[in-house]
Structure formats: C-alpha cells, structure tokens
Amino acid sequence: MSLVQRSNGRPYAKLASNLFAIFCGTCMWLCIATLVLLLWNIFSHGWGRVSFDFISSPPSIIFPEKSGIRPALGGSIYLIGLTALFSVPIGVGTAIYLEEYAPNNRWRTLVQTNIANLAGVPSIVYGILGLGLFVRALNLGVSLVAGALTLTLVILPIIILSAQEALRAVPHSIRTASHALGATRWQTIWHQVLPAALPGMLTGVILALSRALGEAAPLVAIGAATYIRNVPSNMFTDEFGALPLQIYNWTDHSDKDFHVAAAGAIVILLTVLISMNALAIVLRYRFSKRIQW
Amino acid sequence: MPANLEANLHLTDVLPHAADELSALAQKVATKAVDFFYGDHQALHGISLGMPIHRVTALIGPSGCGKSTFLRCLNRMNDMIEDTVVRGEILLDGEDIYRRGADVVELRKRVGMVFQKSNPFPKSIFENVAYGPRVAGIRDRGVLNEIVERSLKQAALWDEVQNRLRDSALQLSGGQQQRLCIARALATGPEVLLMDEPASALDPKSTAAIEDLIFELKETYTIVIVTHNMQQAARVSDQTAFFFEGQLIEVGATNELFTNPREKQTEDYITGRFG
C-alpha cells in the first residue's frame, strides 16, 4: 500500500535513473573499447617492427623492411627540446604576470579571454602563421627553429592556462604572510608562490609538450620534410623531419609493408608520449610530497 | 542606588591612575583622522587613536566595524587590495608611513603581523622562522640559527620543536602553528606587533598560551590586537578601543572602559546587548 503510494507521483523515476546509469556506463565502455581496439591494431601490426635497427636506421624509399625512424625521432627530440626552451619561459612568465601583477581590469579580462580562445584554434592555423611569420618574414627557412617556434605558438595558450591554474591554487594566505614579513613581490613569488605552484606547472608543461610532439599539421604547413635521410645538425639551416610526419608519409604509401613501418613508428611515438606523461605524474608526486597543505 | 554609587566611587579612586599612566607614555603608533575606502564604500571614518609604547591596545567591536581594516592600515597590508584609498596620517615614531617615498618593505619589518588563521609556509619549522631574516638579506648560517632559536624561545615554542626544526611546519598542531607564526613575525626584529584575532581558531589551552605570550611580549614590543573575545581584551590589554560602523566610539584604559564606559553604545556592546 505505502509502496504504491510512494511511487504514484513519479512512476518512472527509478527506471529513468537506472537507464541513465546504463547509458553513462555504455559511453564509458565505448571509449575504452575504441582505445583498446586502436592500441591492439597498432601493436599487433607494429610491434614486430620495433627493434634497435628500426630506431637507428634512416628511412628508405624502396625497402620498407630496411626503413627506420632515426631522422624523424631525432628531429622530434630536437623539436621538443627547442619548443620547451621557447614556450616554458614565455608561458610561465605570462601566467605570473597575469596572476600576480596585472591589475584586475577590462584589459586583463580581454587578454585572458583571448588566451582561452587561442587554446581552441586549430593547429593548422598556427602552421600557416608560422609559415608566413617565421619561415618567410623572419627568413628562418624551413628549419628546426622555425618549426619549434610554430609549435610554441600551438602550445603557448595551454601552458599559460595551466600555469595560471597552478598559481591560483596557491593559498592567498601564503602571499599575505610573506608580504607581512617584509618580502618584496619578487621575493614572495620566487620563494613562496613558484615552489608551491611548481608541481601543477610541470604537469601542464609536460602535457602541452606531449601535444606538440604529436602535432603534424603545423609542421606540414611550414613545409617540414616528410622524407629525410639525416638527423638535422644545424637548427637554423638544415631540413628536419618529425615522427608524426614520417608516420603520415608511410601511411600514404602504396606498398602495404610501409604501413607496418608506420605502425612501428606509432608504437615508438606512443611510448615516448606515455613516458612523458609518466614523468609528469612522478614529478608531481615528488614535488607535492614536499609541499603539503 | 547606593551600591552603584559605591562602585563608581571606588572606580574613580583607581582608574584615573591607569589612564594617566597610559597618557604619560610615548605613542609608538598614532593615527590622525584616518578615513579608509574600499572603492565607494567608506570603511573607516576619521579614526584618531594613539597606541602607547610597550603596551597592548585591544580593538574591539562587532563584525564589520572596521577594526581589522584599521589594523591592516598600520602595516599597509591594505595596499595589496585593489581600489582602496587611505586618507589622514598614520605615524610610526612620528613619521607618516603613507608619506610619499615611504618604504613599505622596511615598514613591514618594523611592524610585524600575526593573522587570524595561522598561515605557516609549507616549509620546515626552521625555514618558516628564518624566512624574514633571509629576505632581509641575512645569509650567515650562525646568525640565522641564533635568530631562529631566540624567536622560537620568545614565542614559547622552542622546547616543543628544538629537536624537529627540519620537520614540516604543517605537522604542528593549530596552537603550535600560531605560535610559530608569532615567532616568524618576531624574527624580523619588529617594534610593533599587530595581531588579528590570533586565538580565535584555537582551543582554550592554546588561547591561554597565546595570552601569556602577549603579556610577556609587551615588555619588548608595542602590541595591537583585534579580538572578538571581550574577556580576552580585558585580560591582555592595557588600552581598549571600541569600534562601531567604521567609527571609533570610545577609547580608554581597559579596566576603565570595561567597568565604566562613557558611551551608551560601548556599554551595550560590552554587556552583550548586541554584537
């Protein structure tokens, strides 16, 4: 009797609740299944191809089984190193200015909104900007520096936003306490705020660099080499390749054996990406162990 | 009402003495007609208050009466809040701290502050206390050790932490953290100590420890304390100032103000009729 009365008002409430839970669960499993399928597909094709020779040999136009990724991997590593060199100081500096110095006015809001919007701009657009600005106007040519500067444009908004987030997470009472002890603004930022924000910043930086590592479109746009025999030795003049470009080049090939090489290169790319993410987690853990609120 | 009369007679017998003693002392900090604005909102109206040297001045009043705002004017912590304006004069040893070219960093070394919520840095106990001297440019290890030990002793914390100076300050209990914050404020060698409800988040035992400490510290420092706790104000302070709606309603020797307030509003507040 009481049961009937209670369910009278919303007879389908419990059913709707269960259906919704099932729907959400299905979505999650779809995601996982897709990911597993993708990884299985790549690893089953490419794993057999991964070897020391594969990593240390240059690619070949004619022999897929002799092809390696040395120039592409080398190019990618240089590219990420340079990108980090350009993007981290600029990104962290911008974040510190916006969070710690900029007065809270309309101008700041405008800049803030624009940075958030820039994070959503497709990377190919930055590629075209990089082609016009770095390759041509600044006459850097299709070089590692031009490529790294272009990738810097791509990931700068992400680095700024994540660094701001990390700075905002530092309790305000720490800044107040530091100022009350006669510390200058710079001393407060350097001795208190930055060490506390470092774990969060590092995570953001590494995730942004992972994104840069996987980018092909902006590099294609500035005209980076999809086929190259050597690791670049001069960052201002030499042509360069990158792993995503090598993969793109091989998957486009008519010879099916090159697709296997592409799968092998993807395995390497994924390994590097996962290692970078693992590093982010380890660093965050180690730094946050030192700083406990 | 003979009983009342008798009480009054008794008070007049004792109290002018306390008031005379206070007014005879030099004023370490003095404000003259201080107005304070948060944007369009005026939070303080013409506050003139002298704080005698080596004495404790308590600022009391209901929430939002401006006592904390006033306290934060004394070491210019309000500078950090955007869109605020201070008018009038605030004198430290006779010099206006808001004068053009005044060094805020130097001021804050001379006027230390302890906050309502203890806010130790997420660093070791040692580093917390050494931070002030360090940012002031002291590098010498021996000197730093000495300052840290002396400050922790002054804050009655040395015995509890001397064997664990390298431990994180955040492992200390709430009361210990607050005494650490006091030690940290003392380490810069201030002349004035501002305390913003330093014991409001602590248990009775820690509160008593802080109050004993204040009593000892006033030998060396001039202390200004904001408190919600009337008994605390009565226990620790020599002079009490009652704030209400941004005005300084009454100021006097503590025992005088609590036993024989001149203003009706003060009496209503200290007898618990409002606030």
Side-chain angles (χ1 to χ4, degrees):
Chain A
M1 178 76 175
S2 70
L3 204 72
V4 175
Q5 273 179 338
R6 228 188 302 159
S7 59
N8 241 356
R10 294 171 296 165
Y12 300 112
K14 197 168 165 58
L15 182 66
S17 168
N18 286 340
L19 280 178
F20 186 65
I22 291 169
F23 170 76
C24 292
T26 313
C27 290
M28 183 198 73
W29 284 112
L30 263 176
C31 291
I32 292 179
T34 315
L35 192 66
V36 168
L37 198 69
L38 187 77
L39 286 176
W40 178 77
N41 186 28
I42 287 161
F43 274 78
S44 64
H45 284 94
W47 186 248
R49 206 57 189 74
V50 175
S51 65
F52 182 72
D53 278 349
F54 183 63
I55 293 170
S56 60
S57 316
S60 157
I61 304 182
I62 319 156
F63 307 110
E65 66 285 355
K66 281 189 191 163
S67 272
I69 56 166
R70 193 168 69 98
L73 184 61
S76 270
I77 290 170
Y78 282 135
L79 211 48
I80 288 306
L82 283 174
T83 305
L85 205 65
F86 299 143
S87 63
V88 174
I90 299 175
V92 171
T94 307
I96 290 175
Y97 181 76
L98 285 173
E99 284 304 310
E100 307 290 330
Y101 288 98
N104 202 359
N105 54 21
R106 255 184 240 160
W107 170 243
R108 182 184 181 278
T109 314
L110 184 76
V111 171
Q112 189 69 59
T113 315
N114 274 296
I115 291 172
N117 285 336
L118 285 175
V121 170
S123 56
I124 185 86
V125 177
Y126 289 111
I128 291 162
L129 176 63
L131 178 68
L133 182 62
F134 303 126
V135 178
R136 299 211 176 126
L138 296 179
N139 214 8
L140 290 166
V142 188
S143 61
L144 274 173
V145 171
L149 285 172
T150 307
L151 288 177
T152 298
L153 291 181
V154 177
I155 64 170
L156 209 45
I158 312 173
I159 292 190
I160 295 171
L161 291 175
S162 63
Q164 278 189 286
E165 205 63 53
L167 288 171
R168 242 174 272 150
V170 178
H172 205 74
S173 62
I174 295 301
R175 295 176 179 86
T176 320
S178 177
H179 283 291
L181 289 167
T184 62
R185 205 168 255 224
W186 152 251
Q187 286 170 327
T188 301
I189 292 171
W190 182 251
H191 294 293
Q192 301 296 345
V193 179
L194 275 184
L198 198 61
M201 282 187 177
L202 267 177
T203 314
V205 164
I206 292 177
L207 291 180
L209 288 176
S210 308
R211 158 107 192 260
L213 187 66
E215 282 290 352
L219 298 177
V220 171
I222 66 163
T226 48
Y227 171 80
I228 189 169
R229 293 282 301 172
N230 299 309
V231 176
S233 56
N234 184 318
M235 62 180 180
F236 290 102
T237 55
D238 287 5
E239 264 205 303
F240 70 97
L243 271 177
L245 294 179
Q246 185 66 70
I247 293 163
Y248 168 72
N249 174 259
W250 277 337
T251 48
D252 210 26
H253 218 280
S254 55
D255 189 338
K256 289 276 181 230
D257 287 345
F258 276 113
H259 298 184
V260 176
I266 291 172
V267 170
I268 302 290
L269 182 64
L270 283 178
T271 311
V272 177
L273 282 175
I274 291 170
S275 321
M276 283 174 72
N277 284 289
L279 184 70
I281 294 169
V282 169
L283 287 176
R284 184 171 47 189
Y285 177 73
R286 285 198 42 178
F287 281 109
S288 53
K289 222 174 40 172
R290 272 202 275 153
I291 297 162
Q292 292 163 331
W293 300 114
Chain B
M1 282 167 272
N4 213 345
L5 192 68
E6 192 187 47
N8 278 338
L9 281 173
H10 176 68
L11 284 169
T12 44
D13 217 25
V14 178
L15 292 174
H17 175 67
D20 287 347
E21 194 246 2
L22 280 179
S23 56
L25 286 166
Q27 292 182 349
K28 184 70 186 174
V29 186
T31 71
K32 288 187 181 151
V34 169
D35 293 331
F36 188 82
F37 299 84
Y38 290 110
D40 294 333
H41 172 69
Q42 184 167 5
L44 294 176
H45 300 263
I47 308 291
S48 296
L49 176 64
M51 285 145 272
I53 191 164
H54 294 172
R55 289 294 178 272
V56 179
T57 299
L59 312 178
I60 61 168
S63 296
C65 67
K67 57 193 190 301
S68 287
T69 299
F70 179 74
L71 189 78
R72 285 200 308 270
C73 285
L74 302 183
N75 67 343
R76 295 185 58 170
M77 283 308 274
N78 286 328
D79 288 15
M80 293 172 70
I81 305 168
E82 277 174 43
D83 204 18
T84 57
V85 177
V86 187
R87 286 204 306 235
E89 280 186 341
I90 298 177
L91 309 173
L92 174 63
D93 285 337
E95 266 200 294
D96 191 356
I97 62 171
Y98 278 93
R99 72 184 183 278
R100 193 181 293 272
D103 185 351
V104 182
V105 167
E106 194 53 42
L107 168 73
R108 292 187 186 141
K109 279 172 200 154
R110 293 177 62 192
V111 183
M113 188 164 202
V114 177
F115 298 85
Q116 180 175 7
K117 197 172 165 291
S118 63
N119 51 359
F121 301 126
K123 294 174 185 263
S124 71
I125 294 168
F126 183 92
E127 285 304 324
N128 262 278
V129 184
Y131 182 70
R134 268 193 212 280
V135 296
I138 296 174
R139 295 261 157 72
D140 188 292
R141 194 75 204 176
V143 176
L144 284 175
N145 284 337
E146 209 175 288
I147 292 174
V148 168
E149 181 174 342
R150 192 188 61 221
S151 306
L152 285 169
K153 277 178 176 162
Q154 276 185 301
L157 191 60
W158 175 252
D159 293 339
E160 292 158 66
V161 301
Q162 58 170 317
N163 296 320
R164 45 192 288 221
L165 293 175
R166 299 280 148 217
D167 287 4
S168 168
L170 299 160
Q171 289 170 8
L172 297 172
S173 73
Q176 288 174 324
Q177 286 193 9
Q178 192 60 302
R179 274 180 284 150
L180 179 69
C181 290
I182 293 173
R184 186 174 69 180
L186 297 179
T188 57
E191 298 152 39
V192 181
L193 205 53
L194 309 177
M195 301 178 129
D196 192 354
E197 299 187 45
S200 68
L202 302 179
D203 61 82
K205 192 160 169 277
S206 304
T207 303
I210 301 277
E211 287 179 9
D212 289 346
L213 190 55
I214 291 171
F215 202 76
E216 277 172 37
L217 290 175
K218 75 173 181 182
E219 301 274 317
T220 330
Y221 306 94
T222 303
I223 297 174
V224 186
I225 178 172
V226 163
T227 178
H228 262 123
N229 181 330
M230 238 88 62
Q231 286 77 23
Q232 184 170 69
R235 280 193 301 265
V236 302
S237 71
D238 302 289
Q239 174 180 258
T240 298
F242 172 61
F243 282 69
F244 185 63
E245 290 181 344
Q247 317 260 9
L248 176 61
I249 304 296
E250 182 171 351
V251 57
T254 296
N255 45 6
E256 185 177 2
L257 185 131
F258 275 98
T259 49
N260 192 19
R262 287 190 304 274
E263 303 290 332
K264 177 88 171 58
Q265 281 162 309
T266 315
E267 188 182 343
D268 285 351
Y269 183 70
I270 61 177
T271 52
R273 236 166 280 168
F274 79 97

